Amino acid sequence: MIDRASVPRHVAVVMDGNGRWAQRQGLVRTEGHGAGERALLDTVYGALSVGLDVLTVYAFSTENWRRPVDEVRYLMNFNRGLLTRRQHELDDEGVRITFSGRRDWRVPKGVLKTMDQAEALTARNTTMTLNIAFNYGGRAEIVDAVQKLVEEKVPAKKIDEKAIRARLYHPEIPDPDLVVRTSGEYRISNFLLWEMAYSELVFSDVLWPDFRREDLFSAIEEYQQRERRFGGLDK
Ligand code: IPE
Ligand code: IPE
Ligand code: MG
């Protein structure tokens, strides 16, 4: 059972295993991405029901451009379609949609436009933030922050953790308390490098398309068994 008194504020999820899910049932990889939509929506409803402030999901990494062009094209169209299909439903639930990642030339204009629309439509919602990491890389985020510091001519002596944090994609979002990765892979894959300095990590063998709110709840229960120390000795 989830202890309602110590629910994490921010959970971040590496939605992994779509390709393997599809291949296991004799489908093409992209059908696995398609099947991930249901998993995402169910996870969002689970997050709303336990009262998370923020759910961050890793949808496309700066390294995912290395995949075959057809798969990349599918993922761009799929993410755009998902936003178009779901933004009003998420808006009705009071979800604020935000994005973390690079808005560079590689992202098709139509996708950027739909992202802007979803962000604008939901900007005033306060029930929960769904932060979508899209064309996101943890190293790229730090590089972008350093570029901003240099552009703003911040003197070297003034550069501290606060100054860097203030230039990340969403400085207003608290660090994730819990990071979940699905599909039995035990790595970070360039996700939230700065932000997860003290996050608890939970790994699940479930392939993303099979992930449901109950899997989120069990990850939260595991989190609640952990003792967070932040380098000190007391909780
Ligand atoms: C995660 O599933 C989705 C993205 C990375 C976009 P994968 O496509 O990585 O699935 P596997 O890991 O190959 O099974
Ligand atoms: C991480 O999964 C990125 C996303 C889930 C979007 P990958 O499947 O790209 O990670 P690696 O290649 O296995 O490390
Ligand atoms: Mg993968």
Side-chain angles (χ1 to χ4, degrees), residues 38-58:
R38 191 166 157 212
L40 175 61
L41 266 290
D42 207 71
T43 303
V44 168
Y45 281 105
L48 284 165
S49 76
V50 293
L52 296 191
D53 289 342
V54 186
L55 176 70
T56 294
V57 293
Y58 205 2

Side-chain angles (χ1 to χ4, degrees), residues 110-205:
V111 177
L112 292 174
K113 199 173 146 204
T114 308
M115 288 162 67
D116 289 340
Q117 280 168 353
E119 219 159 34
L121 175 74
T122 62
R124 276 174 293 280
N125 292 340
T126 55
T127 308
M128 186 180 82
T129 297
L130 174 64
N131 184 37
I132 302 174
F134 187 76
N135 194 19
Y136 175 86
R139 288 182 175 176
E141 181 176 28
I142 296 168
V143 168
D144 290 352
V146 172
Q147 284 189 359
K148 285 179 204 156
L149 287 165
V150 174
E151 274 161 19
E152 293 168 31
K153 300 193 167 56
V154 179
K157 288 218 168 77
K158 292 257 155 107
I159 298 176
D160 54 11
E161 290 190 12
K162 213 172 135 206
I164 295 173
R165 166 178 296 280
R167 288 160 182 86
L168 299 177
Y169 297 134
H170 282 287
E172 83 287 5
I173 294 181
D175 287 344
D177 304 290
L178 165 64
V179 176
V180 180
R181 183 169 187 148
T182 62
S183 85
E185 302 288 0
Y186 301 94
R187 56 179 172 265
I188 301 302
S189 301
N190 203 12
F191 192 39
L192 303 177
L193 294 181
W194 179 281
E195 296 86 341
M196 70 162 80
Y198 272 101
S199 303
E200 295 296 327
L201 309 178
V202 169
F203 297 95
S204 162
D205 287 333

Side-chain angles (χ1 to χ4, degrees), residues 14-21 23 29 33 58-61 64 67 71 75 79 181 183 185 187 207-208:
V14 181
M15 309 184 288
D16 197 14
N18 298 352
R20 278 163 284 165
W21 181 91
Q23 276 158 351
R29 288 180 52 84
H33 300 312
Y58 205 2
F60 192 87
S61 77
N64 288 146
R67 296 189 179 196
E71 183 167 343
L75 283 167
N79 282 298
R181 183 169 187 148
S183 85
E185 302 288 0
R187 56 179 172 265
L207 302 174
W208 177 250

